[in-house]
């Protein structure tokens, strides 16, 4: 709009000067590669599912790999939803704090985290590919998979909480060295995320260890579907925050620097994380609005809690927008939208994260639809729901992690990206493909198209009689899916190409952001300690008491779940297991 | 901080506060709107009829209540008892009159199923050992499909039933 020219090109990251982090860098690289290998398999299957909804059945041609659509869908959900996200997150949430604090992580514990998750993932892969466990990623009993599936899931989950002790140790050591100082921001956010996840894991872990593991091993004969479903969602809702919070860490902690600016508000970032910790635990049963066995009062309380958990995400959107606006204006952008155009769009890492954040507008809005119980009655278990979460985890998390990989691989390996252009291309195609796909899925859901359904295997006439009305949206689904294939493979071309053939170059340093206000500052890539009471805001000081937050969350969770589980515990159903695929 | 930083920060803080107030008000309004349905229950909210420890008992209860027929329970109300079992609904075809209040009693005798009537907000999880209910009034004649929307194995996508809404015979 205005004629003022702005600074073109990407922001130049400072060069890494501290060469002393070899073992940590290697371990982080392992986590990254393992996670993205899972995504490569998972994302390759996704478009087949998209074609399915448009009536194109690719599965007969794939019989040597997948017996059914449902086997492929189990692999897609487990590898993308658990294995990909867990590996990247468990690497990141140790590596970033270690570099921020300048503290060595316990390599034994961090390595054990990797080892456990790798064993768990391999066991899951074995159980899924031999078609013994096509139970989907929610593994609701009384569908019964093989012990390798449940034991693998147990070990994977146990592995994924190991970063918590590593973080606690590093934070304690840093606090000893800097008495009376506020925990630096990225460490704080990582710690709250892991505390949230460790609490949340109690649901699925008790379901697995007390019920599904012994059941699949034949030690107990029957199982109660409702109790287990409820325990699953005790973890299954917070897991969406375990997907999102690492992306928020990157947005708050790094992105504003990458974009050439500063983080607008440090205390607000802390508060967002504290709210996410408190609200994400007690609301899991909002996934059960359609289930019998819930009192109306509890449904109402769940609605209130669910609406509350949206608040921190909306605050994140605001703070992120402000930080980006600041960056854009620092780069010379002006006017209402000029700052947005002035962002360093030629940096694929920035483009990935900003575009991912944009899709979250649709993802967040549709989440509020799901959370409003009577609207949920219309969309529950239709394609609306996967439509919703592909513009949360499938874009926000996946694209932010892709963006992280674009600076992290050069940072970890000292190799330059083989092609910035292909990287940018992959990011834009992912954005466009995922948006078209998600809009198609959500729209089709309004016609009652069920999720998790091999509709393309129906006789042609039946498919058309049932879902012909949704022809336009199902076409969008297929188009989006095919674009996503292109995006996926161009991304992996850059990913593996750089690992193998990237030219040697200086390592960029971790781009920790400085805050415009609040206690944290990173001049040189390591946090500068800020004493509580001096410059640290009141809010940041209060929020230092993480154990109080944990206690509050635990109390709220128990208060929410005792009344929910009560009728189920008093009316136990003894269901035998079923293998129906 | 540079003067630009100072000015930006001051304005940011003001806007941030206003924004948070707006967000909280918006979510509160949404919550109140949703709560309206708690007070004024349209019958669509899933409720629970009974629990059973034997997963097939619920099926028997439903069967005893005359599965396969639509039972008239009042001047303009009907009850329908339905069981899901991989991979069909019993009864598979249901006739109900237009404009009558129909209460569905739904259960499963094996794994979870999802009782969705396409084109309506009827959406209820069929759980073995639990009988859930929803109420609905069909205001349009024609064929409505019952679609299983909770994964139940190999032929889950083919688990389709029908509700046929008949025009009212002139009285
Ligand atoms: C390459 C792009 C992708 C495409 C085209 C795609 C497509 C799909 C489709 C069509 C479904 C619904 C299947 C059904 O309900 O029958 C689905 C389910 C799912 N997707 Fe994706 N997906 C993609 C990437 C991802 C990513 C990146 C993630 C997570 C990081 C992800 C996580 C999931 C999960 C958790 C499910 C649920 C599976 C279930 O319902 O059991 N997907 N995907
Ligand atoms: Cu949820
Ligand atoms: Cu089914």
């Amino acid at each position: 709009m205005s004629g003022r020219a702005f600074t073109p090109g990407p922001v130049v990251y400072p060069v890494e000067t501290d060469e002393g982090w070899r073992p940590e860098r290697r371990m982080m690289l392992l986590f990254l590669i393992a996670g993205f290998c899972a995504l490569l398999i998972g994302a390759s299957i996704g478009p087949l599912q998209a074609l399915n909804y448009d009536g194109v059945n690719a599965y007969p041609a794939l019989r040597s790999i997948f017996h059914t659509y449902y086997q492929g869908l189990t692999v897609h959900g487990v590898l993308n939803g658990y294995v990909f996200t867990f590996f990247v997150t468990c690497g990141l949430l140790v590596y970033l704090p270690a570099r921020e604090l300048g503290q060595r992580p316990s390599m034994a514990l961090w390595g054990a985290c990797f080892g456990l998750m790798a064993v768990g993932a391999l066991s899951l892969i074995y159980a899924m590919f031999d078609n013994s466990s096509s139970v989907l990623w929610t593994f609701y009993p009384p569908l019964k998979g093989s012990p390798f599936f449940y034991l693998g899931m147990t070990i994977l989950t146990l592995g994924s909480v190991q970063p918590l002790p590593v973080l606690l140790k590093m934070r304690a050591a840093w606090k000893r060295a800097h008495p009376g100082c506020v925990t630096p921001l990225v460490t704080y956010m990582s710690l709250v995320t892991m505390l949230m996840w460790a609490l949340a894991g109690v649901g699925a872990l008790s379901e697995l260890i007390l019920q599904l593991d012994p059941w699949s091993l034949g030690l107990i004969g029957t199982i109660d579907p409702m109790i287990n479903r409820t325990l699953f969602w005790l973890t299954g809702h917070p897991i969406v925050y375990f997907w999102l919070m690492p992306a928020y860490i990157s947005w708050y902690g790094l992105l504003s620097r990458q974009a050439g600016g500063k983080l607008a508000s440090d205390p607000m970032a802390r508060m967002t994380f504290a709210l996410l910790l408190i609200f994400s635990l007690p609301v899991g049963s909002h996934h059960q609005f359609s289930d019998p066995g819930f009192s109306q009062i509890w449904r109402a309380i769940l609605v209130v809690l669910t609406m509350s958990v949206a608040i921190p995400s909306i605050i994140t959107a605001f703070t992120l927008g402000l930080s980006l606006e600041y960056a854009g204006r620092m780069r010379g952008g002006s006017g209402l939208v000029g700052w947005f155009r002035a962002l360093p769009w030629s940096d694929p890492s920035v483009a990935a994260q900003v575009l991912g954040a944009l899709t979250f507008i649709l993802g967040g809005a549709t989440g509020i639809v799901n959370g409003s119980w009577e609207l949920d009655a219309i969309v529950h278990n239709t394609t609306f729901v996967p439509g919703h979460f592909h513009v949360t985890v499938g874009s926000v998390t996946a694209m932010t992690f892709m963006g992280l990989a674009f600076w992290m691989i050069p940072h970890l390996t000292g190799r330059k990206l083989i092609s910035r252009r292909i990287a940018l291309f992959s990011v834009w195609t992912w954005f466009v493909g995922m948006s078209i796909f998600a809009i198609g899925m959500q729209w089709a859901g309004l016609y009652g198209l069920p999720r998790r359904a091999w509709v393309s295997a129906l006789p042609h006439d039946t498919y058309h009689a049932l879902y012909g009305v949704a022809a336009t949206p199902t076409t969008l689904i297929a188009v989006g899916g095919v674009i996503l294939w292109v995006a996926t493979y161009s991304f992996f071309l850059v990913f593996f190409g750089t690992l193998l053939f990237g030219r040697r170059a200086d390592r960029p340093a971790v781009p920790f952001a400085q805050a415009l206000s609040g206690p944290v500052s990173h001049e040189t890539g390591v946090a500068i300690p800020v004493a509580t009471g001096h410059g640290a805001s009141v809010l940041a000081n209060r929020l230092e008491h993480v154990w109080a937050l944990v206690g509050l969350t635990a109390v709220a969770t128990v208060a929410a779940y005792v009344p929910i589980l009560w009728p189920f515990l008093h009316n136990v159903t003894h269901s035998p297991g079923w293998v129906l695929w | 901080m540079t003067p630009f930083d100072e000015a930006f920060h001051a304005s940011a803080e003001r806007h941030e506060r206003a924004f948070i107030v707006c967000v909280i008000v918006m979510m509160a309004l949404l919550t109140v709107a949703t709560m309206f349905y708690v007070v004024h229950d349209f019958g669509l909210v899933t409720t629970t009829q009974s629990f059973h420890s034997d997963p097939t008992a619920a099926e028997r209860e439903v069967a005893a209540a005359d599965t396969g027929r639509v039972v008239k329970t009042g001047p303009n109300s009907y009850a329908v008892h339905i069981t899901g079992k991989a991979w069909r609904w019993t009864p598979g075809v249901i006739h109900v009159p237009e404009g009558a209040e129909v209460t569905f009693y739904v259960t499963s005798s094996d794994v979870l199923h999802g009782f969705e009537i396409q084109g309506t907000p009827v959406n209820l999880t069929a759980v073995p050992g639990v009988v859930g209910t929803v109420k609905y009034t069909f205001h349009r004649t024609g064929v409505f499909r019952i679609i299983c929307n909770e994964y139940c194995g190999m032929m889950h996508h083919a688990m389709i039933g029908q509700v046929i809404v008949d025009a009212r015979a002139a009285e």
Side-chain angles (χ1 to χ4, degrees):
Chain A
M1 272 190 313
S2 80
R4 226 168 88 199
F6 44 73
T7 338
V11 174
V12 181
Y13 298 18
V15 174
E16 172 99 310
T17 45
D18 187 349
E19 278 302 322
W21 293 84
R22 243 181 105 81
E24 287 81 3
R25 272 195 258 117
R26 287 186 136 176
M27 184 62 90
M28 180 63 228
L29 190 63
L30 266 184
F31 274 97
L32 208 61
I33 293 174
F36 275 98
C37 283
L39 180 69
L40 175 58
I41 305 174
S44 298
I45 303 169
L48 299 172
Q49 292 156 190
L51 291 174
N52 161 66
Y53 277 115
D54 200 29
V56 180
N57 187 3
Y59 291 83
L62 295 169
R63 266 206 72 90
S64 52
I65 310 172
F66 296 128
H67 285 263
T68 62
Y69 175 82
Y70 303 109
Q71 188 186 1
L73 184 56
T74 308
V75 175
H76 178 82
V78 168
L79 289 190
N80 284 347
Y82 298 133
V83 181
F84 163 56
T85 58
F86 286 9
F87 271 101
V88 178
T89 299
C90 290
L92 213 59
L93 266 48
V94 172
Y95 187 77
L96 291 180
R99 298 306 309 269
E100 181 186 48
L101 300 178
Q103 292 284 336
R104 303 266 153 193
S106 152
M107 292 305 279
L109 265 175
W110 199 24
C113 168
F114 185 88
L116 283 171
M117 293 209 303
V119 170
L122 290 174
S123 174
L124 282 165
I125 288 173
Y126 174 73
M128 293 188 295
F129 276 94
D130 79 351
N131 200 30
S132 63
S133 309
S134 297
V135 291
L136 305 186
W137 77 292
T138 43
F139 52 89
Y140 297 137
L143 287 173
K144 190 175 188 180
S146 86
F148 285 105
F149 185 88
Y150 302 114
L151 290 172
M153 193 65 80
T154 312
I155 298 170
L156 178 75
T157 313
L158 283 174
S160 70
V161 294
Q162 298 310 313
L164 179 60
V166 183
L167 274 167
L168 286 171
K169 261 176 81 174
M170 288 195 296
R171 177 178 183 247
W174 188 87
K175 284 233 166 197
R176 268 196 306 280
H178 307 93
C181 289
V182 184
T183 312
L185 182 62
V186 170
T187 307
Y188 184 82
M189 293 190 289
S190 303
L191 179 63
V192 172
T193 305
M194 283 315 305
L195 286 168
M196 187 285 297
W197 180 237
L199 279 175
V202 171
L205 280 175
S206 53
E207 175 191 11
L208 286 161
I209 294 171
L210 299 177
Q211 296 268 281
L212 299 180
D213 291 338
W215 180 57
S216 68
L217 290 168
L219 302 176
I220 54 177
T222 61
I223 202 144
D224 180 277
M226 280 313 286
I227 294 175
N228 286 287
R229 190 172 156 85
T230 307
L231 288 175
F232 176 82
W233 284 114
L234 171 53
T235 305
H237 178 76
I239 200 177
V240 313
Y241 293 100
F242 194 52
W243 292 335
L244 287 178
M245 285 158 86
Y248 292 177
I249 292 177
S250 178
W251 295 356
Y252 277 124
L254 312 169
L255 177 58
S256 25
R257 166 72 160 269
Q258 295 176 284
K262 290 180 182 172
L263 168 60
S265 176
D266 166 285
M268 208 37 84
R270 292 170 196 260
M271 174 146 100
T272 311
F273 272 64
L275 289 178
L276 285 170
L277 166 64
I278 296 168
F279 283 126
S280 57
L281 267 287
V283 302
S285 286
H286 66 194
H287 293 257
Q288 297 175 276
F289 280 150
S290 294
D291 288 5
F294 284 81
S295 83
Q296 308 312 67
I297 311 271
W298 274 101
R299 286 180 212 274
I301 292 172
L302 286 168
V303 170
V304 177
L305 288 169
T306 303
M307 294 298 176
S308 314
V309 79
I311 292 174
S313 288
I314 307 180
I315 297 178
T316 302
F318 183 82
T319 312
L320 173 68
L322 260 186
S323 307
L324 292 177
E325 178 178 348
Y326 175 85
R329 296 206 187 283
M330 291 308 277
R331 289 168 58 81
S334 58
L336 204 57
V337 290
W339 61 268
F340 193 69
R341 294 212 341 264
L343 292 175
W345 287 101
S346 54
D347 180 344
S349 180
V350 173
Q353 298 183 66
V354 176
L355 293 175
L358 278 184
T359 64
F360 199 38
I361 297 175
L362 184 59
T366 49
I368 294 176
V369 171
N370 297 339
S372 323
W373 132 34
E374 69 281 8
L375 294 181
D376 183 61
I378 298 170
V379 299
H380 172 73
N381 271 0
T382 67
T383 54
F384 188 93
V385 175
H388 151 72
F389 64 69
H390 283 79
V391 271
T392 59
V393 66
S395 63
V396 171
T397 308
M399 294 184 78
T400 301
F401 287 179
M402 287 158 71
L404 278 165
F406 290 145
W407 69 260
M408 241 189 168
I409 295 178
H411 166 81
L412 296 171
T413 61
R415 290 174 187 272
K416 236 173 102 116
L417 286 190
I418 52 162
S419 166
R420 200 162 51 84
R421 277 167 188 276
I422 303 179
L424 277 171
F425 174 79
S426 72
V427 164
W428 277 95
T429 41
W430 190 284
F431 170 70
V432 171
M434 203 52 100
S435 304
I436 296 176
F437 167 78
I439 289 170
M441 292 283 279
Q442 292 170 353
W443 184 359
L446 300 180
Y447 293 105
L449 185 62
R451 72 184 285 200
R452 306 175 145 182
W454 192 1
V455 292
S456 61
L458 288 169
H460 198 69
D461 297 346
T462 315
Y463 172 81
H464 277 278
L466 282 164
Y467 309 119
V469 283
T472 312
T474 56
T475 308
L476 291 181
I477 297 174
V479 170
V482 171
I483 299 176
L484 281 165
W485 246 333
V486 176
T488 303
Y489 294 121
S490 37
F491 170 78
F492 280 105
L493 186 69
V494 177
F495 186 89
F496 289 112
T498 304
L499 283 175
L500 297 172
F501 308 116
R503 264 192 302 115
R504 299 262 164 210
D506 281 338
R507 299 169 195 285
V510 182
F512 285 117
Q514 279 190 265
L516 201 51
S517 74
V520 174
S521 210
H522 303 81
E523 289 283 4
T524 53
V526 180
I528 297 166
V530 176
T532 49
H534 298 278
S537 83
V538 184
L539 191 57
N541 280 332
R542 291 257 165 80
L543 294 174
E544 272 300 283
H545 304 285
V546 286
W547 294 111
L549 295 176
V550 168
L552 195 64
T553 311
V555 170
T557 308
V558 171
Y561 272 94
V562 167
I564 289 174
L565 283 167
W566 196 260
F568 302 146
L569 290 168
H570 283 82
N571 297 280
V572 177
T573 300
H574 300 282
S575 279
W578 296 83
V579 180
L580 296 173
W581 50 85
Chain B
M1 284 214 270
T2 64
F4 177 77
D5 281 8
E6 301 249 5
F8 190 91
H9 185 224
S11 133
E13 283 209 321
R14 261 199 336 271
H15 286 109
E16 186 176 72
R17 240 168 278 143
F19 183 79
I20 291 176
V21 171
C22 290
V23 168
I24 291 176
V25 169
M26 178 180 90
M27 298 321 279
L29 287 177
L30 278 172
T31 308
V32 169
T34 297
M35 282 310 142
F36 179 73
Y37 289 80
V38 183
V39 183
H40 184 85
D41 179 2
F42 292 109
L44 274 170
V45 177
T46 309
T47 51
T48 314
Q49 178 70 13
S50 53
F51 285 104
H52 300 271
S53 76
D54 171 357
T56 55
E59 183 191 17
R60 271 184 264 117
E61 174 188 300
V62 168
D66 221 347
T67 303
R69 280 210 298 136
V70 176
V71 183
K72 190 157 179 159
T73 51
N76 193 26
S77 55
Y78 296 81
V80 182
H81 295 260
I82 289 197
T83 307
K85 180 166 186 162
W87 293 284
R88 50 188 296 213
W89 296 105
T90 311
V93 181
I94 298 155
H95 283 268
V96 298
E98 179 191 1
E101 185 187 74
V102 185
T103 307
F104 293 95
Y105 295 83
V106 183
T107 189
S108 156
S109 61
D110 46 23
V111 295
L112 302 180
H113 298 282
F115 182 77
E116 166 192 328
I117 303 181
Q118 193 180 22
T120 74
V122 173
N123 210 330
L124 191 163
T125 318
V127 184
V130 188
V131 181
T133 73
V134 284
K135 285 198 187 81
Y136 191 68
T137 304
F138 294 87
H139 289 294
R140 182 164 65 75
T141 58
V143 179
F144 289 78
R145 301 266 177 0
I146 303 173
I147 298 175
C148 179
N149 70 8
E150 189 70 87
Y151 171 64
C152 57
M154 181 98 161
M155 296 301 289
H156 156 62
H157 50 280
M159 188 166 161
I160 310 282
Q162 287 184 6
V163 178
I164 299 173
V165 182
D166 301 313
R168 244 167 217 288
E171 274 165 42

